[in-house]
Amino acid sequence: MSKGWIGVDLDGTLAHYDGWKGPDHIGEPVLKMLERVKLWMAVDKYEIRIFTARAGVPEQIPPVVAWLEKHGIGGLAITNVKDFSMIELWDDRCVQIISNLGISIAEEAIMGFADEQLCQVDEILSRRPALDGIPERNDKILHAIKTASEVDRLHAAIDRLPFWTALIAAERQRQDARWGIQNHDDHKWNTILCEEKGEVSKAILEHDGPGVLKELSHVGAVAVAWIEAIGRRATREKT
C-alpha cells in the first residue's frame, strides 16, 4: 500500500521561472524549496513527486530528469496526474480550499466563522498598534482587509489573522535576500537570537511601540532560520 506522496511543482516553485524559454530551459533552483525537498527525501516518510505540466509532453521529461539529478534530487517521479494517494501539492498557482466549504484558507483567516455580529473593518484596524516601518507586504494585507467587500463575523477572527506570521515571514525573506542561507552552529545562533532580544529590550526602554513589533519580528525570524538550519544539518548528517 502506498505511503502517500507530496507533489512539488517545478516552474515557479522548485525552479525560478520568468517566462517560457523552451523545454530545455529550467531556471535555477529556489533554494528554500530545494532544501525542503531534500529534507523530505531524507526523512523518507512520504514519496515526493515532481508535479509539472511538462510531464504531459514526453519529449520535455528528459530535461527535467537532468535538472533534478544536477541539483541532488534525482530519481523522483515526474507526473502531471493526481491520484487518491496524493497528500499535498506545493504549487505557486494553487489556492487551498477548506474541504466541503468552497472557501479559501486566506478567506477563512480574514473572515472567521464564529457566530458573532458583523464588525466594520475600520473599527478592527483602529485597534491595531501603529505599524511604522513594517515591510510592504503587510501593507498589502491591510489593504486586502480594508477593501474586502464582505467580512463575515470578523470580530471573532481578529486574533486569528495571519498578520504576525506575515511579519516574521517577510523578515525571513529579507534575511535570505541580504545574507543568503546561513548554517551556523547552535552557539552562533543563540548569540544572534540574544542580540535580537536585546533590540526588543532597547525598544521597550525607549517606549517605541512600532520598534518593539519590528524587533520581535526579527526575533521570530531568527528563531525560524535557526530551526531551518537544524533541519539542513540533520539532512547532511543522514546523507
Side-chain angles (χ1 to χ4, degrees), residues 5-188:
W5 59 278
I6 297 173
V8 179
D9 171 54
L10 181 62
D11 298 298
T13 301
L14 186 58
H16 284 276
Y17 181 76
D18 57 358
W20 181 253
K21 298 178 181 178
D24 293 326
H25 176 82
I26 302 175
E28 291 299 308
V30 176
L31 295 181
K32 187 178 293 293
M33 196 67 212
L34 180 63
E35 292 292 338
R36 180 179 285 118
V37 170
K38 288 181 177 179
L39 180 59
W40 286 339
M41 292 173 68
V43 172
D44 196 29
K45 183 176 181 181
Y46 301 113
E47 179 187 358
I48 311 302
R49 300 181 188 178
I50 301 304
F51 195 92
T52 174
R54 294 173 183 257
V57 183
E59 295 78 10
Q60 295 186 17
I61 294 178
V64 178
V65 172
W67 188 93
L68 296 175
E69 292 177 349
K70 177 181 177 181
H71 296 292
I73 52 174
L76 297 180
I78 301 168
T79 185
N80 63 345
V81 178
K82 293 172 60 177
D83 60 35
F84 291 111
S85 295
M86 190 184 79
I87 297 170
E88 294 178 352
L89 175 59
W90 291 62
D91 191 313
D92 59 313
R93 301 188 185 187
C94 279
V95 176
Q96 185 174 356
I97 300 299
I98 300 173
S99 297
N100 304 321
L101 292 182
I103 297 171
S104 73
I105 293 293
E107 289 171 331
E108 192 271 345
I110 292 175
M111 295 178 184
F113 295 103
D115 291 329
E116 299 286 342
Q117 64 182 17
L118 295 178
C119 194
Q120 294 296 323
V121 174
D122 286 342
E123 179 184 348
I124 298 300
L125 296 178
S126 70
R127 303 177 193 173
R128 296 286 187 188
L131 294 171
D132 297 342
I134 297 306
E136 180 183 356
R137 174 177 176 179
N138 303 292
D139 292 336
K140 294 179 181 179
I141 294 174
L142 287 178
H143 177 73
I145 298 171
K146 286 180 180 179
T147 57
S149 60
E150 183 178 6
V151 188
D152 294 331
R153 302 167 179 83
L154 183 58
H155 181 71
I158 297 173
D159 294 331
R160 298 168 56 215
L161 287 172
F163 193 83
W164 314 117
T165 301
L167 291 183
I168 294 172
E171 175 59 20
R172 279 294 297 116
Q173 291 179 349
R174 189 191 70 82
Q175 290 174 352
D176 281 352
R178 183 173 182 181
W179 293 297
I181 293 178
Q182 301 178 84
N183 291 301
H184 307 305
D185 60 31
D186 290 336
H187 295 290
K188 176 70 171 181

Side-chain angles (χ1 to χ4, degrees), residues 175-236:
Q175 290 174 352
D176 281 352
R178 183 173 182 181
W179 293 297
I181 293 178
Q182 301 178 84
N183 291 301
H184 307 305
D185 60 31
D186 290 336
H187 295 290
K188 176 70 171 181
W189 278 117
N190 190 49
T191 300
I192 296 171
L193 192 62
C194 288
E195 289 175 354
E196 295 295 350
K197 179 60 173 64
E199 293 297 325
V200 175
S201 299
K202 180 175 180 290
I204 292 172
L205 290 173
E206 294 175 350
H207 304 287
D208 181 4
V212 172
L213 286 178
K214 180 180 178 181
E215 297 304 335
L216 281 173
S217 74
H218 293 182
V219 170
V222 168
V224 171
W226 187 354
I227 292 169
E228 292 172 350
I230 290 172
R232 289 191 293 270
R233 189 187 311 158
T235 300
R236 290 194 300 270

